[in-house]
Amino acid sequence: MGERQLRRLFLQHLGAPPVSVAQTRRVLFAKQLIHETQLPMTEVALAAGFGSLRRFNETFQELFQRPPMALRRKTSNGHAGAGTGVTLRIRYRSPYDWDSILAFFQARSIPGVEVVENGHYLRTVDIDGLIGSIEVAHHAERQSLGVTIRFPSVKSLPTVVGRVRRLFDVGADIETIDAHLSSDPFLAPLVAQRPGLRAPGGWDGFEIAVRAILGQQISVAAARRLAGQLVALHGKDLPMEQRVHPGLIYVFPTSQRLASVKSLGLSMPVARQFFLKAIAEATVADPNLFHPLGSIEETVERLRMIPGVGDWTAHYIALRAIRETDAFPASDIGLLRSAGAIQGEKSTTAHLLDRARSWRPWRAYAAQHLWAAGPVAPSKGVSVV
């Protein structure tokens, strides 16, 4: 895409050129940091993406006719710096089914990497070789999530917040989605039972792809154990001074790490270990592998070019890693069983795909409702990893 075309599209759809949109985002994030934390202004400027403190001060003086410090609330409750933890609020559109999304993450939490307890979600994170951790809690009365970020670089704060937003699907237009799915009598009772049900994302596209490969043909619990073995063998240790919880020990291994090892050393079929290496090598070769490029059909076809990635795996990766709202792994045994239980007879992949036509473009949320409607038992199918 050329610069002129990009500018034209921004003006057409947003009414402002790309530079202005980027500037607005920087200012809004800086304002949030000023209001909600006690970070020094120098770190606020760096975290928000300003090139210099002088430019930061000039921008605020121009927009608000006052220096940034004058906007700081006396009640801001953040910490002194990113190293000790910065707590921010991430707002969402109500309703939000926090219990369901937390239960989803708890059932699949990787030992050593993720912990779910007392209504909180914690995990280790790796961004560009720097490691830290996050802790996410729900504040229903404020219609927001509270995320505490413990990370050595304030410049990474926007990236961390963006990933948390995708992980917990806070940007979904949930009223529109629920209204669309409720128009089908088949789904209406499920939506009424769990209003605000979200489609959980993933912290990292490669991690989700690995988890999808691990979960082929086995139960959720078995896939979780294998993921724990993988991080214990190949994950990076979290430094002792950063271990805010005894369950946070490792950082999930990078694609470069798994692509370079001779043997994964896992208790699983050799063919599937080969597929794990293949997904790692594909990720190293194409850094944009898990970015949204084209339609859902094009995305699935692109992923299926990787050895070991069939239709189910491709749709699952598209759903959680690429955040395709229309991804739908129709051959999933959990979806088929849930659909069969609702309609009172055994369901087939072809029948479920036909039924799901009216659910587009929100089939990913329909899948989440079907998964949530009943337990997924081990079988010869695939697990919801």
Side-chain angles (χ1 to χ4, degrees), residues 173-342:
D173 184 358
I174 201 64
E175 290 185 358
T176 297
I177 295 168
D178 282 1
H180 179 82
L181 297 181
S182 294
S183 64
D184 186 337
F186 184 81
L187 286 181
L190 304 185
V191 177
Q193 185 178 355
R194 293 181 177 85
L197 185 69
R198 306 299 168 116
W203 176 260
D204 175 78
F206 173 66
E207 178 185 310
I208 290 298
V210 168
R211 293 167 81 137
I213 297 292
L214 289 174
Q216 292 174 347
Q217 305 295 330
I218 60 175
S219 68
V220 172
R224 180 174 176 265
R225 286 193 297 271
L226 281 175
Q229 290 179 21
L230 183 71
V231 298
L233 289 169
H234 304 290
K236 188 186 300 182
D237 288 352
L238 189 69
M240 292 300 298
E241 63 272 15
Q242 290 184 274
R243 296 186 185 181
V244 296
H245 188 284
L248 300 181
I249 305 171
Y250 308 110
V251 178
F252 197 87
T254 64
S255 56
Q256 292 84 354
R257 166 64 180 169
L258 294 190
S260 64
V261 297
K262 291 184 178 181
S263 172
L264 295 177
L266 297 177
S267 304
M268 61 187 297
V270 174
R272 202 162 302 148
Q273 297 196 52
F274 170 77
F275 296 152
L276 287 176
K277 292 273 288 183
I279 200 77
E281 291 166 356
T283 306
V284 172
D286 182 6
N288 295 320
L289 183 61
F290 304 111
H291 289 193
L293 299 171
S295 66
I296 177 61
E297 290 79 14
E298 291 169 328
T299 296
V300 167
E301 188 61 30
R302 176 163 52 93
L303 292 171
R304 290 190 64 178
M305 298 293 290
I306 304 169
V309 177
D311 190 71
W312 175 87
T313 306
H315 271 274
Y316 189 81
I317 294 171
L319 192 160
R320 292 199 59 195
I322 305 178
R323 308 304 291 135
E324 285 281 1
T325 62
D326 204 34
F328 191 69
S331 62
D332 183 86
I333 191 66
L335 296 184
L336 294 173
R337 284 179 172 171
S338 184
I342 293 171

Side-chain angles (χ1 to χ4, degrees), residues 7-22:
R7 181 181 175 85
R8 179 181 61 79
L9 289 172
F10 265 72
L11 289 172
Q12 176 184 344
H13 295 284
L14 301 177
V19 172
S20 297
V21 173

Side-chain angles (χ1 to χ4, degrees), residues 25 41 47-48 92 123 128 134 140 177 196 203 216 229 232 307 310 353 360:
R25 291 181 61 136
M41 290 300 155
Y92 58 76
R123 71 159 293 146
D128 298 329
I134 61 169
I177 295 168
W203 176 260
Q216 292 174 347
Q229 290 179 21
L353 277 173
R360 307 189 76 166

